[in-house]
Amino acid sequence: MAIAAFIDHTLLKPTATIPEIKQLCDEAMEHQFYAVCVNGCHVALAKKELKDSPVKVAAVVGFPLGAMSTQAKIAEAKDCIQQGADEIDMVINIGWLKSNLDEKVLEEIRDLKTSIGEKTLKVILETCYLTAEEKERVCKLAVQAGADYVKTSTGFGSGGATFEDVILMKKTVGSKVKIKASGGIKDKQAALKYIELGVSRIGTSSGPSLLK
């Protein structure tokens, strides 16, 4: 199986330098990864580096806390798309979900999707902070809101992707939306297991070493 086609080659550290972003893009082209995933300030650079290649640019929005205003997230998402992003990975408002403000969570995801039009929207749940019931609820909200993916984690929380979470997410969303596993995926065996469980994309900063 060609794992490379599932990988979002990721560099989201606050310390990421311009040469490191360029290297990320070079590696993505060399290994034919599906996309690179970067912070908003690096989108234009990544787009330029990946010119004439099939590698997509994914940008994170509301990252990593998800606790800024909806309007701020929308402005950030629109800016990333203008700079050349093909996909947006947004963090939900975790506090709203935990406060049972489901309508607000739904509206925010829907508003983000509306603001980026045909571009792909991945909704980051940050599963390490959620109960099983909350994970199910937010998966259903993401489907209802018209998201394209539900995604496990930012990689900046207290935990990353787990097989259990992906099984729960798959059971909840079925084939209505796709699933992205991210956070702490560093070896080939784990990546293959996630693919077997039904994920369509894997977010990892260990892409090249994972292929070995």
Side-chain angles (χ1 to χ4, degrees), residues 13-212:
K13 291 185 303 188
T15 53
T17 62
I18 301 304
E20 285 173 335
I21 296 294
K22 287 182 174 180
Q23 183 186 343
L24 184 84
C25 293
D26 287 343
E27 289 170 349
M29 288 187 285
E30 180 192 339
H31 297 290
Q32 298 180 303
F33 293 139
Y34 188 89
V36 296
C37 187
V38 296
N39 283 297
C41 67
H42 299 304
V43 169
L45 172 64
K47 195 70 180 175
K48 182 166 165 262
E49 292 296 309
L50 295 166
K51 191 172 178 282
D52 300 327
S53 94
V55 181
K56 307 271 189 217
V57 178
V60 291
V61 162
F63 196 87
L65 304 177
M68 51 295 295
S69 73
T70 297
Q71 284 309 312
K73 288 181 184 175
I74 289 170
E76 191 181 6
K78 282 180 167 174
D79 181 59
C80 287
I81 297 296
Q82 274 182 333
Q83 302 287 333
D86 303 291
E87 307 186 336
I88 297 295
D89 291 30
M90 70 163 283
V91 187
I92 64 156
N93 191 308
I94 302 160
W96 282 353
L97 183 73
K98 288 191 162 291
S99 303
N100 295 306
L101 296 173
D102 289 19
E103 197 57 42
K104 284 175 84 74
V105 175
L106 174 73
E107 275 173 29
E108 180 170 89
I109 299 168
R110 187 180 281 151
D111 288 351
L112 256 290
K113 180 58 186 170
T114 302
S115 74
I116 66 169
E118 294 302 303
K119 303 293 186 184
T120 297
L121 180 65
K122 308 191 201 95
V123 176
I124 306 173
L125 315 184
E126 201 64 306
T127 47
C128 60
Y129 298 135
L130 307 180
T131 64
E133 185 271 335
E134 287 164 346
K135 289 167 199 171
E136 280 182 42
R137 248 172 54 222
V138 73
C139 279
K140 287 173 183 170
L141 292 171
V143 171
Q144 206 181 328
D148 301 288
Y149 278 80
V150 284
K151 173 177 167 181
T152 58
S153 323
T154 62
F156 287 75
S158 58
T162 68
F163 300 135
E164 293 75 22
D165 282 339
V166 167
I167 290 164
L168 174 71
M169 289 160 74
K170 187 67 182 170
K171 189 175 151 204
T172 308
V173 304
S175 57
K176 296 188 188 89
V177 298
K178 294 175 180 173
I179 297 171
K180 176 175 170 180
S182 65
I185 303 169
K186 297 192 185 305
D187 64 83
K188 190 174 190 174
Q189 285 65 38
L192 286 168
K193 175 76 171 167
Y194 280 114
I195 293 166
E196 193 185 304
L197 291 173
V199 307
S200 299
R201 209 80 70 78
I202 289 168
T204 179
S205 55
S206 307
S209 61
L210 187 146
L211 293 182
K212 285 172 187 161

